[in-house]
Amino acid sequence: MTQQSKISKREFLKKAGVTTAGAAAASTLAAPAVLGQTAIKWRLQTYAGASLAEHVIKPAIDSFNKVANGEMEIELYTADQLVPTGELFRAMQAGTIDAVQSDEDSMAAPVDVSVFGGYFPFATRYSLDVPVLFNQYGLKEIWEEAYSEVENVTWLSAGSWDPCHFNTTKPIRSLEDLKGLRVYTFPTAGRFLSQFGVVPVNIPYEDAEVAVQTGEIDGMAWSGITEDYTVGWANVTKYFLTNNITGAWIGSFFANSERWAEVPDHLKTLFQLTMDSSHYYRQWWYWGGEAKLRVEGDKLELTSIPESEWNQVVKAAETFWADIAKESDRSARVVEILKNYAGVMEKAGPPYRYG
């Protein structure tokens, strides 16, 4: 080492101190530009009432807010808190709210695939059918295509909820018992069930319990038994019909497109993980609850329509599907996918399909 290149310990520390101080100063100067930025704030409204939202979305949003570490915060609102459920889509499109968790059917999304959101009769048997249909059978691409034609709304992700059963004040043991039954249900489910004499009633989600108590409706065809107990409907109805018209509700997350574009990529990824977390929570929460409450629940008496009779309802769904397929080319493509999927599941046999 030459004399010129030698450096004493004192000189090294002195130079290191200058370098460190300079870096610290630069860091201090740079920090306000990052920390001083205004956090992104979203208002997200779910279709679910407060007690149900505790399960179907709140844990996921709480986790997002924690991990986002101040860069973004999502304020969660429950059914009808900011706007009525039927106006959710338009409110999101206009930027009144930033994001939504709902099915297309109940919030009247102006797309032809909206009829398949919520409960499309006999489209699914189990909750796992939904993510498979979207991720392996092409529904994801069709939903993206449909929403690309809608101004300022971005469809983000679909997942499954519970099956669609009746919980009522009157016992249902035959198709005859459906005649004149006034129930709170989804638009498409109501449209299908009306051929059997069911009278669909459209009221706000949070009014359903009181509507049963006042006699305005005879019950709900809205959920599975887990939801009946969770939201209090099991307290005001007496019977639960074990037959269902579909095995899983299809719901989605949506965002105002302009607000979604403002979100940095790493927070978009975080929100995707958040939606996946929400989907996963519901998979096990509903699946376990449906069985446990049928066996151990003490508020609702189980009733059933004999399979020989119920097959008339299953058969009617074939005609219903054919009618929906005629409404648009895209609807026809969805119906074809559902038929193909059902065929694969039937051929696969147990545990994919029993009987």
Side-chain angles (χ1 to χ4, degrees), residues 69-345:
N69 200 30
E71 290 185 67
M72 182 170 174
E73 181 182 358
I74 299 174
E75 296 175 350
L76 178 63
Y77 295 87
T78 56
D80 305 310
Q81 257 195 305
L82 295 178
V83 296
T85 297
E87 298 174 17
L88 273 177
F89 194 92
R90 297 299 183 190
M92 172 174 50
Q93 197 171 37
T96 305
I97 52 179
D98 305 300
V100 164
Q101 180 203 42
S102 179
D103 67 292
E104 289 97 338
D105 197 26
S106 58
M107 69 174 184
V111 289
D112 47 10
V113 297
S114 66
V115 70
F116 301 102
Y119 291 122
F120 189 68
F122 300 101
T124 59
R125 182 78 66 88
Y126 307 118
S127 57
L128 274 175
D129 291 340
V130 176
V132 173
L133 280 164
F134 273 84
N135 295 307
Q136 294 185 356
Y137 279 74
L139 291 194
K140 177 177 180 288
E141 289 75 18
I142 290 178
W143 258 243
E144 288 173 341
E145 174 191 299
Y147 283 96
S148 71
E149 299 170 3
V150 178
E151 184 179 359
N152 211 26
V153 169
T154 299
W155 173 83
L156 298 174
S157 179
S160 60
W161 274 251
D162 49 342
C164 184
H165 293 261
F166 287 81
N167 60 292
T168 55
T169 57
K170 304 173 182 179
I172 303 173
R173 296 189 173 93
S174 70
L175 292 184
E176 187 68 25
D177 294 331
L178 295 178
K179 292 180 179 177
L181 200 69
R182 298 161 300 166
V183 297
Y184 170 55
T185 190
F186 291 85
T188 298
R191 174 179 165 186
F192 174 71
L193 290 169
S194 61
Q195 65 186 293
F196 301 100
V198 171
V199 180
V201 179
N202 183 23
I203 52 177
Y205 181 92
E206 294 288 12
D207 292 351
E209 184 175 342
V210 173
V212 171
Q213 293 173 298
T214 60
E216 182 183 349
I217 61 175
D218 301 307
M220 301 81 167
W222 179 275
S223 69
I225 200 168
T226 307
E227 200 158 313
D228 295 336
Y229 275 79
T230 301
V231 306
W233 292 345
N235 299 331
V236 297
T237 55
K238 296 180 180 180
Y239 303 96
F240 178 85
L241 182 66
T242 59
N243 310 77
N244 67 55
I245 68 163
T246 196
W249 187 77
I250 298 174
S252 293
F253 285 86
F254 309 82
N256 174 280
S257 298
E258 293 177 357
R259 296 310 309 277
W260 180 244
E262 295 169 1
V263 177
D265 286 345
H266 70 289
L267 291 178
K268 284 179 177 174
T269 299
L270 178 59
F271 193 67
Q272 181 64 61
L273 293 171
T274 298
M275 293 185 289
D276 290 344
S277 171
S278 176
H279 296 329
Y280 173 65
Y281 183 110
R282 292 189 312 276
Q283 285 279 351
W284 59 260
W285 183 65
Y286 277 122
W287 182 258
E290 297 303 301
K292 183 179 178 67
L293 289 169
R294 284 195 191 196
V295 175
E296 299 178 4
D298 58 1
K299 295 179 180 180
L300 296 173
E301 179 183 336
L302 304 185
T303 65
S304 298
I305 295 175
E307 187 175 348
S308 57
E309 266 195 271
W310 190 248
N311 281 338
Q312 296 177 46
V313 183
V314 177
K315 192 70 176 174
E318 295 178 13
T319 302
F320 188 78
W321 284 24
D323 290 341
I324 295 298
K326 295 174 185 175
E327 294 183 354
S328 74
D329 172 70
R330 194 153 42 219
S331 292
R333 286 156 55 200
V334 174
V335 168
E336 191 59 33
I337 286 172
L338 295 178
K339 288 167 67 176
N340 179 43
Y341 178 75
V344 170
M345 294 295 108

Side-chain angles (χ1 to χ4, degrees), residues 18-36:
V18 170
T19 303
T20 304
S27 176
T28 303
L29 289 171
V34 175
L35 299 178

